[in-house]
Amino acid sequence: MGIRRTRLMLASLIVIMGTLLGCPGAATAKRAPTVIIVGAGMSGISAAKTLSDAGIKRILILEATNRIGGRMYKANFSGVSVELGANWVSGVGGPQVNPVWIMANKLRLKSFLSNFLNLSSNTYKPEGGVYEESVARKAFEVAEQVVEFGTKVSKDLAARKQPDISILTSQRLKNYFPKTPLEMVIDYYLCDFESAEPPRATSLLNSEPSSTYSNFGEDSYFVSDPRGYESVVHYVAQQFLTTNAAGQITDPRLQLKKVVRSSFHLAISYFMV
């Protein structure tokens, strides 16, 4: 998942209700907890597996779409599998092994190391052609100084237990206002592209410094496997959800095309039947 990140793996909305349903008394106390998870992306499926491994089997996973995977999804374009969501395994080659990288290797997902060091010589002008490498490099260096400033501010806020601010706010504290096409495209690359959202919406405390890179390494691998990056989510799901001979999930605890509007009432109607 190419976000710096960490981006993480936190795209799904998860609502967990660790509520004991039923009448009060000794009989209720003996019942297993009922847990409802809204969203069958990587976060939702991982949460459900964690609960299942802990012995909590009364789980209901509700997904609004007709598939699992969340932001990890692909489409067929002229016979070629194209990722429409997450595309990179970010955080490889560091002191700790990224668990997503472990799963990708177990599945033997086809991937390639992405080298972002040559961006300054491959940044295109709006009217066509590339910027002079020295010009682009200087603009990148300025933007990277702003990122370093944001990291320092984030550490200071955390140390003093101060409220969070956005990436955009930290940029303004540094008096950084991207205006030219070159400055704006670099800002997009460092912020929107990395975090999958604009800097005004990105938490500084939760994104700088990036735990993905600091813990797992600076390398990123581009997933280009025809099976899709979503194979990782299916790999996790199949470890605790019932599947048929074809590997398709048939477990009734996973319900697709279920849009949650009132999770409490839906939980009552489901588990009290």
Side-chain angles (χ1 to χ4, degrees), residues 164-236:
D164 193 9
I165 62 174
S166 67
I167 291 287
L168 181 65
T169 301
S170 70
Q171 290 179 339
R172 297 302 183 258
L173 291 173
K174 185 64 174 175
N175 199 32
Y176 182 67
F177 295 85
K179 296 177 181 177
T180 69
L182 177 58
E183 292 171 341
M184 288 190 287
V185 75
I186 291 174
D187 184 59
Y188 180 89
Y189 165 71
L190 293 176
C191 297
D192 305 64
F193 173 76
E194 285 291 328
S195 301
E197 62 185 3
R200 68 175 181 276
T202 307
S203 160
L204 182 67
L205 285 175
N206 291 310
S207 59
E208 295 295 341
S210 167
S211 57
T212 296
Y213 288 132
S214 59
N215 292 341
F216 302 129
E218 295 289 335
D219 292 340
S220 294
Y221 281 77
F222 184 88
V223 176
S224 58
D225 197 286
R227 293 169 292 172
Y229 200 172
E230 62 190 31
S231 300
V232 173
V233 184
H234 285 269
Y235 172 78
V236 176

Side-chain angles (χ1 to χ4, degrees), residues 12-85:
S12 301
L13 169 65
I14 303 178
V15 179
I16 297 181
M17 299 174 63
T19 311
L20 295 175
L21 299 179
C23 300
T28 300
K30 294 180 181 179
R31 298 184 64 186
T34 294
V35 181
I36 298 176
I37 298 176
V38 180
M42 190 62 170
S43 297
I45 293 297
S46 295
K49 181 182 182 300
T50 300
L51 292 168
S52 180
D53 291 346
I56 299 175
K57 306 300 181 182
R58 288 173 56 81
I59 298 170
L60 175 63
I61 307 170
L62 302 174
E63 168 58 45
T65 69
N66 64 350
R67 45 171 286 279
I68 72 171
R71 289 184 56 249
M72 303 166 83
Y73 65 114
K74 67 181 187 301
N76 185 286
F77 181 75
S78 297
V80 178
S81 181
V82 178
E83 298 289 350
L84 300 179

Side-chain angles (χ1 to χ4, degrees), residues 68-123:
I68 72 171
R71 289 184 56 249
M72 303 166 83
Y73 65 114
K74 67 181 187 301
N76 185 286
F77 181 75
S78 297
V80 178
S81 181
V82 178
E83 298 289 350
L84 300 179
N87 214 143
W88 280 265
V89 180
S90 297
V92 179
Q96 301 178 39
V97 181
N98 190 330
V100 178
W101 184 235
I102 293 175
M103 291 186 283
N105 284 319
K106 284 184 177 179
L107 293 169
R108 296 185 178 181
L109 289 184
K110 185 179 180 181
S111 61
F112 298 91
L113 175 65
S114 292
N115 181 5
F116 298 109
L117 298 178
N118 61 347
L119 283 173
S120 59
S121 58
N122 290 277
T123 303

Side-chain angles (χ1 to χ4, degrees), residues 115-181:
N115 181 5
F116 298 109
L117 298 178
N118 61 347
L119 283 173
S120 59
S121 58
N122 290 277
T123 303
Y124 285 79
K125 300 177 182 178
E127 63 274 14
V130 297
Y131 285 97
E132 289 289 336
E133 182 179 357
S134 59
V135 174
R137 186 188 305 114
K138 183 177 180 179
F140 267 104
E141 290 173 352
V142 171
E144 287 168 352
Q145 289 173 5
V146 176
V147 173
E148 292 174 0
F149 171 78
T151 300
K152 293 178 180 179
V153 172
S154 178
K155 290 180 178 179
D156 183 61
L157 291 175
R160 295 189 292 115
K161 298 182 179 181
Q162 294 297 306
D164 193 9
I165 62 174
S166 67
I167 291 287
L168 181 65
T169 301
S170 70
Q171 290 179 339
R172 297 302 183 258
L173 291 173
K174 185 64 174 175
N175 199 32
Y176 182 67
F177 295 85
K179 296 177 181 177
T180 69

